[in-house]
Coordinates of all heavy atoms in Angstrom, one line a residue:
M1 N -10.1 -13.5 -5.3 CA -10.7 -13.6 -6.6 C -11.4 -12.3 -6.9 O -12.1 -11.8 -6.1 CB -11.6 -14.8 -6.7 CG -12.2 -15.0 -8.0 SD -11.6 -16.6 -8.6 CE -12.8 -17.1 -9.6
I2 N -11.3 -11.9 -8.2 CA -12.0 -10.7 -8.6 C -13.4 -10.9 -8.9 O -13.8 -11.8 -9.7 CB -11.2 -10.1 -9.8 CG1 -9.8 -9.7 -9.4 CG2 -12.0 -8.8 -10.3 CD1 -9.0 -9.2 -10.6
D3 N -14.3 -10.1 -8.3 CA -15.7 -10.2 -8.6 C -16.0 -9.3 -9.8 O -16.1 -8.1 -9.7 CB -16.5 -9.8 -7.4 CG -18.0 -9.9 -7.6 OD1 -18.4 -10.6 -8.5 OD2 -18.8 -9.3 -6.8
F4 N -16.3 -9.9 -11.0 CA -16.5 -9.1 -12.2 C -17.9 -8.4 -12.2 O -18.1 -7.5 -13.0 CB -16.3 -9.9 -13.4 CG -14.9 -10.3 -13.6 CD1 -14.4 -11.5 -13.4 CD2 -14.0 -9.3 -14.1 CE1 -13.1 -11.9 -13.6 CE2 -12.6 -9.6 -14.3 CZ -12.2 -10.9 -14.0
N5 N -18.8 -8.8 -11.3 CA -20.1 -8.2 -11.2 C -19.9 -6.8 -10.6 O -20.8 -5.9 -10.8 CB -21.1 -9.0 -10.3 CG -21.5 -10.2 -11.0 OD1 -21.6 -10.3 -12.3 ND2 -21.7 -11.3 -10.3
F6 N -18.8 -6.5 -9.9 CA -18.6 -5.2 -9.4 C -18.5 -4.1 -10.5 O -18.9 -3.0 -10.3 CB -17.3 -5.2 -8.6 CG -16.8 -3.8 -8.2 CD1 -17.5 -3.2 -7.1 CD2 -15.8 -3.2 -8.8 CE1 -17.1 -2.0 -6.7 CE2 -15.4 -1.9 -8.4 CZ -16.0 -1.3 -7.3
F7 N -18.0 -4.5 -11.7 CA -17.8 -3.6 -12.8 C -19.1 -3.2 -13.4 O -19.2 -2.3 -14.2 CB -16.8 -4.1 -13.8 CG -15.4 -4.2 -13.2 CD1 -14.9 -5.5 -12.9 CD2 -14.7 -3.1 -13.0 CE1 -13.6 -5.6 -12.4 CE2 -13.4 -3.2 -12.5 CZ -12.9 -4.4 -12.2
K8 N -20.2 -3.9 -13.1 CA -21.5 -3.5 -13.6 C -22.2 -2.6 -12.7 O -23.1 -2.9 -11.9 CB -22.4 -4.8 -13.8 CG -21.8 -5.8 -14.8 CD -22.7 -7.0 -14.9 CE -22.0 -8.0 -15.8 NZ -22.8 -9.3 -15.9
Q9 N -21.7 -1.3 -12.7 CA -22.2 -0.3 -11.8 C -23.6 0.1 -12.2 O -24.0 0.1 -13.3 CB -21.2 0.9 -11.9 CG -19.8 0.6 -11.5 CD -19.7 0.3 -10.0 OE1 -20.4 0.8 -9.2 NE2 -18.8 -0.6 -9.7
K10 N -24.3 0.5 -11.1 CA -25.7 0.9 -11.3 C -25.9 2.4 -11.4 O -26.7 2.9 -12.1 CB -26.6 0.3 -10.2 CG -26.6 -1.2 -10.3 CD -27.6 -1.7 -9.2 CE -27.7 -3.2 -9.4 NZ -27.0 -4.0 -8.4
S11 N -25.1 3.2 -10.7 CA -25.3 4.6 -10.6 C -24.2 5.3 -11.3 O -23.0 4.9 -11.3 CB -25.5 5.1 -9.2 OG -24.3 5.1 -8.5
P12 N -24.4 6.5 -11.8 CA -23.3 7.3 -12.4 C -22.3 7.7 -11.4 O -21.1 7.8 -11.7 CB -24.0 8.5 -13.0 CG -25.4 8.1 -13.2 CD -25.7 7.1 -12.1
Q13 N -22.7 7.9 -10.1 CA -21.8 8.3 -9.1 C -20.8 7.2 -8.8 O -19.6 7.4 -8.7 CB -22.5 8.6 -7.8 CG -21.6 9.0 -6.7 CD -22.3 9.2 -5.3 OE1 -23.5 8.8 -5.2 NE2 -21.6 9.7 -4.4
Q14 N -21.2 5.9 -8.8 CA -20.3 4.8 -8.6 C -19.4 4.6 -9.8 O -18.2 4.3 -9.6 CB -21.1 3.5 -8.4 CG -21.8 3.5 -7.0 CD -22.7 2.3 -6.9 OE1 -23.2 1.7 -7.9 NE2 -22.9 1.8 -5.6
R15 N -19.9 4.8 -11.0 CA -19.0 4.8 -12.2 C -17.9 5.8 -12.1 O -16.8 5.6 -12.4 CB -19.8 4.9 -13.5 CG -20.5 3.6 -13.9 CD -21.1 3.8 -15.2 NE -22.2 4.7 -15.0 CZ -23.5 4.5 -15.5 NH1 -23.8 3.4 -16.1 NH2 -24.4 5.4 -15.3
F16 N -18.3 7.0 -11.7 CA -17.4 8.1 -11.7 C -16.3 7.8 -10.6 O -15.1 8.1 -10.9 CB -18.1 9.4 -11.3 CG -17.2 10.6 -11.0 CD1 -16.5 11.2 -12.1 CD2 -16.9 11.0 -9.7 CE1 -15.6 12.2 -11.8 CE2 -16.0 12.1 -9.5 CZ -15.4 12.7 -10.5
L17 N -16.7 7.3 -9.5 CA -15.7 7.0 -8.4 C -14.8 5.9 -8.8 O -13.6 5.9 -8.5 CB -16.4 6.7 -7.1 CG -17.1 7.9 -6.4 CD1 -17.9 7.4 -5.2 CD2 -16.2 8.9 -6.1
L18 N -15.3 4.9 -9.6 CA -14.4 3.9 -10.1 C -13.4 4.4 -11.1 O -12.2 4.1 -11.0 CB -15.3 2.8 -10.8 CG -14.5 1.7 -11.5 CD1 -13.8 0.8 -10.5 CD2 -15.4 0.8 -12.4
I19 N -13.8 5.3 -12.0 CA -12.9 5.9 -13.0 C -11.9 6.8 -12.2 O -10.7 6.8 -12.6 CB -13.7 6.7 -14.0 CG1 -14.5 5.7 -14.9 CG2 -12.7 7.5 -14.9 CD1 -15.4 6.3 -15.8
L20 N -12.4 7.5 -11.3 CA -11.5 8.4 -10.5 C -10.4 7.5 -9.7 O -9.3 7.9 -9.7 CB -12.2 9.3 -9.5 CG -11.4 10.2 -8.7 CD1 -10.8 11.3 -9.6 CD2 -12.3 10.9 -7.6
G21 N -10.9 6.4 -9.2 CA -9.9 5.5 -8.5 C -8.9 5.0 -9.4 O -7.7 4.9 -9.1
L22 N -9.3 4.6 -10.7 CA -8.3 4.1 -11.6 C -7.4 5.2 -12.1 O -6.2 4.9 -12.3 CB -9.1 3.5 -12.8 CG -9.9 2.2 -12.5 CD1 -10.7 1.8 -13.7 CD2 -8.9 1.1 -12.1
V23 N -7.8 6.4 -12.3 CA -7.0 7.5 -12.6 C -5.9 7.8 -11.5 O -4.8 8.0 -11.8 CB -7.8 8.8 -13.0 CG1 -6.9 10.0 -13.0 CG2 -8.6 8.6 -14.2
M24 N -6.4 7.8 -10.3 CA -5.5 8.0 -9.2 C -4.5 6.8 -9.0 O -3.3 7.1 -8.7 CB -6.2 8.2 -7.9 CG -7.0 9.4 -7.8 SD -6.1 10.9 -8.2 CE -5.0 11.0 -6.8
L25 N -4.9 5.6 -9.3 CA -4.0 4.5 -9.4 C -2.8 4.8 -10.4 O -1.7 4.6 -10.1 CB -4.7 3.2 -9.7 CG -3.8 2.0 -10.1 CD1 -3.2 1.4 -8.9 CD2 -4.6 1.0 -11.0
L26 N -3.2 5.2 -11.6 CA -2.2 5.4 -12.6 C -1.3 6.6 -12.2 O -0.1 6.6 -12.5 CB -2.9 5.7 -13.9 CG -3.6 4.5 -14.6 CD1 -4.4 5.0 -15.8 CD2 -2.7 3.4 -14.9
F27 N -1.9 7.6 -11.6 CA -1.1 8.8 -11.1 C -0.1 8.4 -10.1 O 1.1 8.7 -10.2 CB -2.0 9.8 -10.6 CG -1.3 11.0 -10.0 CD1 -0.7 11.9 -10.8 CD2 -1.2 11.1 -8.6 CE1 0.0 13.0 -10.2 CE2 -0.5 12.2 -8.0 CZ 0.1 13.1 -8.8
Y28 N -0.4 7.6 -9.1 CA 0.5 7.2 -8.1 C 1.6 6.3 -8.6 O 2.7 6.3 -8.2 CB -0.2 6.5 -6.9 CG -0.9 7.5 -6.0 CD1 -2.3 7.4 -5.7 CD2 -0.2 8.6 -5.4 CE1 -2.9 8.3 -4.9 CE2 -0.9 9.5 -4.6 CZ -2.2 9.3 -4.3 OH -2.9 10.2 -3.5
M29 N 1.2 5.4 -9.5 CA 2.1 4.5 -10.1 C 3.1 5.2 -11.0 O 4.3 5.0 -10.9 CB 1.4 3.4 -11.0 CG 0.6 2.4 -10.2 SD 1.6 1.3 -9.3 CE 2.0 0.1 -10.6
A30 N 2.6 6.2 -11.8 CA 3.5 7.0 -12.6 C 4.5 7.9 -11.8 O 5.7 8.0 -12.1 CB 2.7 7.9 -13.5
L31 N 3.9 8.5 -10.7 CA 4.8 9.3 -9.8 C 5.8 8.5 -9.1 O 7.0 8.9 -9.0 CB 3.9 10.0 -8.8 CG 4.6 11.1 -7.9 CD1 5.2 12.2 -8.8 CD2 3.6 11.6 -6.9
G32 N 5.5 7.3 -8.6 CA 6.4 6.4 -8.0 C 7.5 6.0 -9.0 O 8.7 6.0 -8.6
T33 N 7.1 5.6 -10.2 CA 8.1 5.2 -11.2 C 9.0 6.3 -11.6 O 10.2 6.1 -11.8 CB 7.3 4.6 -12.4 OG1 6.5 3.6 -12.0 CG2 8.3 4.1 -13.4
L34 N 8.4 7.5 -11.7 CA 9.2 8.7 -12.1 C 10.2 9.0 -11.0 O 11.4 9.2 -11.3 CB 8.3 9.9 -12.2 CG 8.9 11.2 -12.7 CD1 9.2 11.0 -14.2 CD2 7.9 12.3 -12.5
L35 N 9.9 8.9 -9.7 CA 10.8 9.1 -8.6 C 11.9 8.1 -8.6 O 13.1 8.4 -8.3 CB 10.1 9.1 -7.3 CG 9.4 10.4 -6.9 CD1 8.6 10.2 -5.7 CD2 10.3 11.5 -6.8
I36 N 11.6 6.9 -9.0 CA 12.6 5.8 -8.9 C 13.6 6.0 -10.1 O 14.9 5.9 -9.9 CB 12.0 4.4 -9.0 CG1 11.3 4.2 -7.6 CG2 13.0 3.3 -9.2 CD1 10.4 2.9 -7.6
F37 N 13.2 6.2 -11.3 CA 14.0 6.2 -12.4 C 14.6 7.5 -12.9 O 15.4 7.6 -13.8 CB 13.3 5.5 -13.6 CG 13.1 4.0 -13.3 CD1 11.8 3.5 -13.1 CD2 14.2 3.1 -13.2 CE1 11.6 2.2 -12.8 CE2 13.9 1.8 -12.9 CZ 12.7 1.3 -12.7
W38 N 14.0 8.7 -12.4 CA 14.5 10.0 -12.9 C 15.7 10.4 -12.1 O 15.6 10.7 -10.9 CB 13.4 11.0 -12.8 CG 13.6 12.3 -13.4 CD1 14.6 12.6 -14.3 CD2 12.9 13.5 -13.3 NE1 14.5 13.9 -14.7 CE2 13.4 14.5 -14.1 CE3 11.8 13.8 -12.5 CZ2 13.0 15.7 -14.1 CZ3 11.3 15.1 -12.6 CH2 11.9 16.0 -13.4
K39 N 16.9 10.4 -12.8 CA 18.1 10.6 -12.1 C 18.3 12.1 -11.8 O 18.9 12.5 -10.8 CB 19.3 10.1 -12.9 CG 19.2 8.6 -13.1 CD 19.3 7.8 -11.9 CE 19.3 6.4 -12.2 NZ 18.9 5.5 -11.1
E40 N 17.9 13.0 -12.7 CA 18.1 14.4 -12.6 C 16.9 15.1 -12.1 O 16.4 16.1 -12.7 CB 18.5 15.0 -14.0 CG 19.7 14.4 -14.6 CD 21.0 14.7 -13.8 OE1 21.1 15.8 -13.2 OE2 21.9 13.8 -13.7
I41 N 16.4 14.7 -10.9 CA 15.2 15.3 -10.3 C 15.5 16.7 -9.9 O 16.6 17.0 -9.4 CB 14.8 14.4 -9.1 CG1 13.3 14.6 -8.8 CG2 15.6 14.6 -7.9 CD1 12.7 13.5 -8.1
P42 N 14.6 17.7 -10.1 CA 14.9 19.1 -9.9 C 15.0 19.5 -8.4 O 15.2 20.7 -8.1 CB 13.8 19.8 -10.6 CG 12.7 18.8 -10.8 CD 13.3 17.5 -10.8
F43 N 14.8 18.7 -7.4 CA 14.9 19.1 -6.0 C 15.9 18.1 -5.4 O 16.1 17.0 -5.8 CB 13.6 19.1 -5.3 CG 12.7 17.9 -5.4 CD1 12.8 16.9 -4.5 CD2 11.8 17.8 -6.4 CE1 12.1 15.7 -4.6 CE2 11.0 16.7 -6.5 CZ 11.1 15.7 -5.6
D44 N 16.5 18.6 -4.3 CA 17.6 17.9 -3.7 C 17.1 16.9 -2.7 O 16.5 17.2 -1.7 CB 18.5 18.9 -2.9 CG 19.8 18.3 -2.4 OD1 20.2 17.4 -3.0 OD2 20.2 18.8 -1.3
I45 N 17.3 15.6 -3.1 CA 16.9 14.5 -2.2 C 17.9 13.4 -2.5 O 18.3 13.2 -3.6 CB 15.4 14.0 -2.5 CG1 15.0 12.9 -1.5 CG2 15.3 13.6 -3.9 CD1 13.5 12.6 -1.6
T46 N 18.3 12.7 -1.4 CA 19.3 11.6 -1.6 C 18.6 10.4 -2.4 O 17.4 10.2 -2.3 CB 19.8 11.1 -0.2 OG1 18.7 10.6 0.5 CG2 20.4 12.2 0.5
P47 N 19.4 9.7 -3.2 CA 18.9 8.6 -4.0 C 18.2 7.6 -3.2 O 17.2 7.0 -3.6 CB 20.1 8.1 -4.7 CG 21.1 9.2 -4.7 CD 20.8 10.0 -3.5
T48 N 18.7 7.3 -2.0 CA 18.0 6.3 -1.1 C 16.6 6.7 -0.8 O 15.7 5.9 -0.9 CB 18.9 6.0 0.1 OG1 20.2 5.7 -0.2 CG2 18.3 4.9 1.0
Y49 N 16.4 7.9 -0.3 CA 15.1 8.4 0.1 C 14.2 8.5 -1.2 O 13.0 8.3 -1.1 CB 15.2 9.7 0.8 CG 15.7 9.5 2.2 CD1 16.8 10.4 2.7 CD2 15.3 8.6 3.1 CE1 17.3 10.2 3.9 CE2 15.8 8.4 4.3 CZ 16.8 9.2 4.8 OH 17.3 9.1 6.0
R50 N 14.8 8.9 -2.3 CA 14.0 9.0 -3.5 C 13.4 7.7 -3.9 O 12.2 7.5 -4.3 CB 14.9 9.6 -4.6 CG 14.2 9.8 -5.9 CD 15.2 10.5 -6.9 NE 16.5 9.9 -7.0 CZ 16.9 8.9 -7.8 NH1 16.0 8.4 -8.6 NH2 18.1 8.4 -7.8
I51 N 14.3 6.6 -3.9 CA 13.8 5.3 -4.3 C 12.8 4.8 -3.2 O 11.8 4.2 -3.6 CB 15.0 4.3 -4.4 CG1 15.8 4.8 -5.6 CG2 14.6 2.9 -4.5 CD1 17.1 4.0 -5.8
L52 N 13.1 5.0 -2.0 CA 12.1 4.5 -0.9 C 10.7 5.2 -1.1 O 9.7 4.6 -0.9 CB 12.7 4.8 0.5 CG 13.8 3.8 0.9 CD1 14.3 4.3 2.3 CD2 13.2 2.4 1.1
F53 N 10.7 6.5 -1.3 CA 9.5 7.2 -1.5 C 8.8 6.7 -2.8 O 7.5 6.6 -2.8 CB 9.7 8.7 -1.6 CG 8.5 9.5 -1.6 CD1 7.6 9.4 -0.5 CD2 8.2 10.4 -2.6 CE1 6.4 10.2 -0.5 CE2 7.1 11.2 -2.6 CZ 6.2 11.0 -1.6
G54 N 9.5 6.4 -3.8 CA 8.9 5.9 -5.1 C 8.3 4.5 -4.8 O 7.1 4.3 -5.3
V55 N 9.0 3.7 -4.1 CA 8.4 2.4 -3.8 C 7.2 2.5 -2.9 O 6.2 1.8 -3.1 CB 9.5 1.5 -3.1 CG1 8.9 0.2 -2.5 CG2 10.6 1.1 -4.1
L56 N 7.2 3.4 -1.9 CA 6.1 3.7 -1.0 C 4.9 4.1 -1.8 O 3.7 3.7 -1.6 CB 6.4 4.7 0.0 CG 5.4 5.1 1.0 CD1 5.1 3.9 1.9 CD2 5.7 6.3 1.8
L57 N 5.1 5.0 -2.8 CA 3.9 5.4 -3.7 C 3.4 4.3 -4.5 O 2.1 4.2 -4.6 CB 4.4 6.6 -4.6 CG 4.5 7.9 -3.9 CD1 5.1 8.9 -4.9 CD2 3.2 8.4 -3.5
I58 N 4.2 3.4 -5.0 CA 3.7 2.3 -5.8 C 3.0 1.3 -4.9 O 1.9 0.8 -5.3 CB 4.9 1.6 -6.5 CG1 5.4 2.5 -7.6 CG2 4.5 0.3 -7.1 CD1 6.7 2.1 -8.3
V59 N 3.5 1.0 -3.7 CA 2.7 0.1 -2.8 C 1.4 0.8 -2.4 O 0.4 0.1 -2.3 CB 3.6 -0.1 -1.5 CG1 2.8 -0.8 -0.4 CG2 4.8 -1.0 -1.9
Y60 N 1.4 2.1 -2.1 CA 0.1 2.7 -1.8 C -0.9 2.6 -3.0 O -2.1 2.4 -2.8 CB 0.4 4.2 -1.5 CG -0.9 5.0 -1.1 CD1 -1.6 4.7 0.0 CD2 -1.3 6.0 -2.0 CE1 -2.8 5.4 0.3 CE2 -2.4 6.7 -1.7 CZ -3.2 6.4 -0.6 OH -4.3 7.1 -0.3
A61 N -0.4 2.8 -4.2 CA -1.3 2.6 -5.4 C -1.9 1.2 -5.4 O -3.0 1.1 -5.7 CB -0.5 3.0 -6.6
L62 N -1.0 0.2 -5.2 CA -1.5 -1.2 -5.2 C -2.6 -1.4 -4.1 O -3.5 -2.1 -4.3 CB -0.4 -2.1 -5.1 CG 0.6 -2.1 -6.3 CD1 1.8 -3.0 -6.0 CD2 -0.1 -2.5 -7.6
I63 N -2.4 -0.8 -2.9 CA -3.3 -1.0 -1.8 C -4.6 -0.3 -2.2 O -5.7 -0.9 -2.0 CB -2.8 -0.4 -0.5 CG1 -1.6 -1.3 0.0 CG2 -3.9 -0.3 0.5 CD1 -0.9 -0.7 1.2
R64 N -4.6 0.9 -2.8 CA -5.8 1.5 -3.3 C -6.5 0.7 -4.3 O -7.7 0.6 -4.3 CB -5.5 2.9 -3.8 CG -5.2 4.0 -2.8 CD -4.9 5.3 -3.4 NE -6.0 5.7 -4.3 CZ -6.8 6.7 -4.0 NH1 -6.6 7.4 -2.9 NH2 -7.8 7.1 -4.8
F65 N -5.8 0.1 -5.2 CA -6.4 -0.7 -6.3 C -7.0 -1.9 -5.7 O -8.1 -2.3 -6.1 CB -5.3 -1.1 -7.3 CG -5.8 -2.0 -8.4 CD1 -6.7 -1.4 -9.4 CD2 -5.5 -3.3 -8.6 CE1 -7.2 -2.1 -10.4 CE2 -6.0 -4.0 -9.6 CZ -6.8 -3.5 -10.5
Y66 N -6.4 -2.6 -4.7 CA -7.0 -3.8 -4.0 C -8.3 -3.4 -3.3 O -9.2 -4.1 -3.5 CB -5.9 -4.3 -3.1 CG -6.5 -5.5 -2.3 CD1 -6.6 -6.7 -2.8 CD2 -6.9 -5.3 -0.9 CE1 -7.1 -7.8 -2.1 CE2 -7.4 -6.4 -0.2 CZ -7.5 -7.6 -0.8 OH -8.0 -8.7 -0.1
R67 N -8.3 -2.3 -2.7 CA -9.5 -1.8 -2.0 C -10.6 -1.4 -3.0 O -11.8 -1.7 -2.7 CB -9.2 -0.6 -1.1 CG -8.3 -1.0 0.1 CD -8.1 0.1 1.1 NE -9.4 0.6 1.6 CZ -9.6 1.8 2.1 NH1 -8.6 2.7 2.0 NH2 -10.7 2.1 2.5
L68 N -10.2 -0.9 -4.1 CA -11.2 -0.5 -5.1 C -11.8 -1.7 -5.7 O -13.0 -1.8 -5.9 CB -10.5 0.3 -6.2 CG -11.4 0.8 -7.3 CD1 -12.3 1.9 -6.8 CD2 -10.5 1.4 -8.5
I69 N -11.0 -2.8 -6.0 CA -11.6 -4.0 -6.6 C -12.4 -4.8 -5.6 O -13.5 -5.3 -6.0 CB -10.4 -4.9 -7.1 CG1 -9.7 -4.2 -8.3 CG2 -10.9 -6.2 -7.6 CD1 -10.5 -3.9 -9.5
N70 N -12.0 -4.8 -4.4 CA -12.7 -5.6 -3.4 C -13.8 -4.8 -2.7 O -14.4 -5.4 -1.7 CB -11.8 -6.2 -2.4 CG -11.0 -7.3 -3.0 OD1 -11.4 -8.0 -3.8 ND2 -9.7 -7.4 -2.5
Q71 N -14.2 -3.7 -3.1 CA -15.2 -2.9 -2.5 C -16.6 -3.5 -2.7 O -16.9 -3.9 -3.8 CB -15.2 -1.5 -3.1 CG -16.2 -0.5 -2.5 CD -16.1 0.8 -3.2 OE1 -15.4 1.0 -4.1 NE2 -16.8 1.8 -2.7
K72 N -17.3 -3.6 -1.7 CA -18.7 -4.1 -1.8 C -19.6 -3.1 -2.4 O -19.4 -1.9 -2.2 CB -19.2 -4.6 -0.4 CG -18.3 -5.6 0.3 CD -18.3 -6.9 -0.5 CE -17.4 -7.9 0.1 NZ -17.0 -9.0 -0.7
D73 N -20.7 -3.6 -3.0 CA -21.6 -2.7 -3.6 C -22.4 -1.9 -2.5 O -22.9 -2.6 -1.6 CB -22.6 -3.5 -4.5 CG -23.5 -2.6 -5.3 OD1 -23.2 -1.4 -5.4 OD2 -24.5 -3.1 -5.9
Q74 N -22.4 -0.6 -2.5 CA -23.0 0.2 -1.4 C -24.5 0.1 -1.4 O -25.2 0.4 -0.4 CB -22.5 1.6 -1.6 CG -21.0 1.8 -1.5 CD -20.5 1.5 -0.2 OE1 -21.1 1.6 0.8 NE2 -19.2 1.0 -0.2
S75 N -25.1 -0.2 -2.6 CA -26.6 -0.2 -2.7 C -27.3 -1.4 -2.1 O -28.5 -1.4 -1.9 CB -27.0 0.0 -4.1 OG -26.6 -1.1 -4.9
E76 N -26.5 -2.5 -1.9 CA -27.1 -3.7 -1.4 C -27.3 -3.7 0.1 O -26.6 -3.2 0.9 CB -26.3 -4.9 -1.8 CG -26.4 -5.1 -3.3 CD -25.6 -6.4 -3.7 OE1 -26.3 -7.5 -3.6 OE2 -24.5 -6.3 -4.0

């Protein structure tokens, strides 16, 4: 279950790290999606490895998001 009190950050540093974590989540998701669906990629990689690497990036982004949401408040 998501703890919505986590989003009520107390310090600017924690807010910045939350925003940075969300930006990196979007970056990894976009990069993984781009690798999966972009057929004319400018470097030589087999389609199987390209799709596997894209899926790996998306799974990594989801793990980072899960850890970001379930992170305990450091000040307590």
Side-chain angles (χ1 to χ4, degrees):
M1 183 114 154
I2 297 175
D3 182 19
F4 289 106
N5 289 327
F6 172 74
F7 294 106
K8 297 178 183 177
Q9 299 291 326
K10 294 184 174 104
S11 73
Q13 179 185 11
Q14 288 175 334
R15 279 187 293 231
F16 173 74
L17 291 176
L18 176 67
I19 292 170
L20 182 64
L22 293 175
V23 167
M24 293 307 295
L25 166 78
L26 292 174
F27 174 74
Y28 285 125
M29 292 289 281
L31 186 61
T33 305
L34 185 72
L35 281 173
I36 291 172
F37 293 112
W38 190 12
K39 301 295 182 201
E40 301 295 325
I41 201 157
F43 51 90
D44 188 30
I45 186 170
T46 61
T48 304
Y49 289 130
R50 181 175 47 91
I51 292 172
L52 283 175
F53 188 57
V55 169
L56 181 69
L57 283 173
I58 291 172
V59 168
Y60 179 67
L62 294 174
I63 290 170
R64 283 181 58 108
F65 181 68
Y66 176 77
R67 290 183 63 205
L68 181 69
I69 295 299
N70 288 327
Q71 181 180 8
K72 301 296 180 200
D73 191 11
Q74 301 294 334
S75 64
E76 291 185 85

